[in-house]
Amino acid sequence: MRVCVIGTGYVGLVTGACLAHIGHDVICVDNNEEKVKLMKSGQSPIFEPGLSEIMQSAIQSGKIEFTTDLAAGVTHGEILFIAVGTPPLPTGESDTRYVEAVARGIGANLNGGYKVIVNKSTVPIGSGDWVRMIVMDGIGERQKTLVTAGGGPADDKLPELLPQFDVVSNPEFLREGSAVYDTFNPDRIVLGGNSTKAISMMKELYSPIVERKFAENKSLPPVPVLATDLSSAEMIKYAANAFLATKISFINEVANICDRVGADVTQVAKGIGLDSRIGNKFLQAGIGWGGSCFPKDVSALIHTADDYGYEAQLLKSAVSVNERQRLIALEKLQQALKILKGKTVGLLGLTFKPDTDDLRDAPALNLIEQLNRLGAKVKAYDPIISQTGMRHGLSGVLVETDAERLADGCDALVLVTEWQQFSSLDYTKMAQLMSNPVIIDGRNFLDPETMIRAGFQYVGVGRR
């Protein structure tokens, strides 16, 4: 099938590259010329395991192109994905101006042939009908321009000449760091819309994935496909992320109680996770959730509830617990070192989760800000940030090139991101290099006994 993906962030680029990999003809559109030039060379502008290899293979096979020409992309695609960002506004609601601009641009460039316009961006509930309206506005503006220029049809002929399209909501459930894997091995595919034809085309698009032709385990049953109305599909995305964020806040609240009563939250999580009604995922206590999805989506759902006269108290509490949890590492540092002014603290990890270079709303940023406020010197080592030299959003921190340079002269370390590499560092040598070998394990990732044998005073979150 012919596909156009507009926006090449995490969602758009992964979606476009993976659809090209399974055999579709894809054009990815972005208005950033430098970014498009980079992608044309086969390089990914983001760090995502497996993505560069998928891109290069698709480029070589002629299945994917990159351009800044929106008109070319719209003309090419039977299915048009809107995959631009919807960052949060200070009020908590989503900023939809990029979606609006793309929808208007699609309308201005539609010229014959049936199209399916797919909301892949995480958009407020009710955006499907709104996007249809904006596309129609774009079509109308184009038709009026043609009439004014004398090159278009008369006004009484406009309705019958309007391009035919339908809008579908197709929320993504990709995890940064495993987005390529998630695309080929999804738990479900959600399609929202009121057009049988549009839903049928989307099912055809995803059929190789549904049939697990590119799955890690090809013997599994077909991927469940849920076809629903637009608003329900949009709500599914928000509800899923809000539930997972709430689950993390719940186990963090339990961890804080464990700290006070002498229980071990890792054992508690294991015990409750064995209950099939609860499950063991997202029960890892630590210093809170961050990134580009959970904070934005939970805030947007709270804001939507407010708009419709309902106070989402549980979701507000989940956010409140998370905000407090980000300061847990600071409290534990103060308990171990007392005065932080003049002390040197090293952070193991900066990104909000492992296997990504994403620093958006990362707990490390809060920790750096508070440590600077209290007069501490802050150093950090991150396997990706240190390697690439990326410093976006970073200030008040010295980024070291390896873990041993980080440890040298530190009064304490804080494990912020559970990179797998951090399980095999030479902690004995690192302890010897430190002025005071204390480690705050902000993700309960390390083995306490191993760290104690290495010479550390080990402090976890909710662990005895």
Side-chain angles (χ1 to χ4, degrees):
M1 301 182 75
R2 299 188 311 278
V3 178
C4 172
V5 180
I6 305 162
T8 56
Y10 273 96
V11 175
L13 184 54
V14 171
T15 298
C18 290
L19 288 176
H21 183 72
I22 66 176
H24 299 300
D25 294 305
V26 180
I27 289 182
C28 290
V29 181
D30 200 286
N31 61 5
N32 185 321
E33 291 185 4
E34 288 299 315
K35 190 177 182 183
V36 168
K37 184 178 178 181
L38 182 70
M39 292 185 292
K40 281 183 173 180
S41 72
Q43 299 181 64
S44 171
I46 57 175
F47 177 80
E48 186 64 40
L51 180 56
S52 292
E53 293 83 353
I54 293 281
M55 286 175 59
Q56 290 162 13
S57 173
I59 290 171
Q60 290 171 5
S61 65
K63 286 295 182 181
I64 195 167
E65 298 177 30
F66 300 96
T67 182
T68 58
D69 188 347
L70 177 61
V74 172
T75 300
H76 166 82
E78 312 168 69
I79 297 178
L80 313 175
F81 282 93
I82 300 176
V84 292
T86 53
L89 294 168
T91 57
E93 61 187 318
S94 296
D95 184 349
T96 57
R97 57 183 161 168
Y98 305 113
V99 174
E100 180 178 356
V102 169
R104 196 174 299 278
I106 290 173
N109 288 287
L110 285 179
N111 54 358
Y114 176 75
K115 308 279 187 180
V116 178
I117 300 172
V118 184
N119 264 341
K120 198 70 173 174
S121 301
T122 302
V123 290
I125 299 154
S127 292
D129 293 332
W130 173 74
V131 164
R132 167 175 284 279
M133 179 186 72
I134 300 299
V135 172
M136 290 299 297
D137 286 347
I139 293 171
E141 290 168 9
R142 178 171 185 246
Q143 297 282 18
K144 288 177 183 177
T145 300
L146 289 172
V147 170
T148 302
D155 285 346
D156 61 349
K157 297 292 184 182
L158 286 181
E160 63 189 67
L161 296 176
L162 289 178
Q164 299 299 303
F165 70 93
D166 283 302
V167 177
V168 169
S169 175
N170 175 215
E172 54 82 18
F173 303 99
L174 306 179
R175 299 168 297 169
E176 289 187 31
S178 55
V180 172
Y181 174 88
D182 289 346
T183 301
F184 295 135
N185 302 270
D187 295 320
R188 75 289 202 194
I189 292 173
V190 176
L191 303 172
N194 52 17
S195 163
T196 303
K197 182 177 180 179
I199 297 297
S200 177
M201 287 178 65
M202 292 300 295
K203 287 180 178 179
E204 181 184 351
L205 179 79
Y206 284 125
S207 61
I209 292 174
V210 171
E211 294 164 10
R212 306 225 182 241
K213 292 181 179 179
F214 295 84
E216 186 175 64
N217 184 353
K218 295 179 174 59
S219 65
L220 291 173
V223 176
V225 178
L226 175 61
T228 183
D229 60 275
L230 280 166
S231 295
S232 295
E234 291 160 352
M235 176 62 94
I236 286 168
K237 168 65 174 178
Y238 282 113
N241 278 348
F243 180 83
L244 295 175
T246 301
K247 194 172 181 182
I248 296 170
S249 284
F250 169 80
I251 199 62
N252 282 335
E253 190 123 86
V254 171
N256 296 337
I257 299 172
C258 286
D259 261 336
R260 288 156 174 78
V261 301
D264 186 332
V265 73
T266 61
Q267 297 301 311
V268 174
K270 186 180 295 183
I272 65 175
L274 290 170
D275 188 325
S276 60
R277 298 168 300 175
I278 298 173
N280 61 3
K281 294 181 179 179
F282 287 82
L283 284 179
Q284 289 72 44
I287 56 175
W289 37 269
S292 63
C293 290
F294 282 8
K296 174 174 72 74
D297 291 355
V298 176
S299 294
L301 191 52
I302 290 170
H303 189 273
T304 297
D306 287 340
D307 280 347
Y308 287 85
Y310 180 76
E311 184 180 3
Q313 295 182 11
L314 179 61
L315 298 183
K316 289 181 178 180
S317 295
V319 172
S320 178
V321 169
N322 192 59
E323 289 173 349
R324 185 187 186 285
Q325 201 68 19
R326 291 187 172 202
L327 301 179
I328 286 293
L330 190 70
E331 292 179 12
K332 292 181 180 294
L333 282 169
Q334 290 174 320
Q335 292 167 4
L337 303 179
K338 307 308 179 189
I339 303 298
L340 295 181
K341 191 178 184 68
K343 302 292 176 61
T344 300
V345 177
L347 307 183
L348 279 166
L350 286 167
T351 55
F352 84 96
K353 65 177 291 188
D355 297 319
T356 180
D357 57 1
D358 200 343
L359 288 167
R360 286 176 289 181
D361 205 28
L365 302 181
N366 297 81
L367 195 51
I368 291 167
E369 179 185 6
Q370 293 302 316
L371 287 170
N372 282 327
R373 182 182 65 82
L374 292 170
K377 176 183 177 181
V378 187
K379 301 198 294 179
Y381 167 68
D382 183 280
I384 291 296
I385 303 300
S386 296
Q387 177 184 340
T388 60
M390 293 177 64
R391 300 290 185 271
H392 302 305
L394 288 176
S395 61
V397 57
L398 172 64
V399 179
E400 297 285 11
T401 55
D402 60 61
E404 291 179 10
R405 286 178 182 270
L406 173 73
D408 192 13
C410 276
D411 296 287
L413 297 177
V414 180
L415 189 142
V416 177
T417 314
E418 63 276 32
W419 286 91
Q420 192 56 45
Q421 297 95 311
F422 292 167
S423 64
S424 56
L425 297 175
D426 188 346
Y427 285 105
T428 299
K429 184 174 181 181
M430 290 169 64
Q432 293 169 353
L433 290 169
M434 294 175 65
S435 301
N436 185 29
V438 171
I439 188 161
I440 311 297
D441 186 355
R443 299 295 181 184
N444 289 344
F445 178 69
L446 304 170
D447 176 58
E449 293 184 6
T450 300
M451 299 309 296
I452 291 168
R453 286 197 300 270
F456 278 96
Q457 175 188 340
Y458 174 89
V459 181
V461 179
R463 306 184 80 175
R464 287 189 298 174

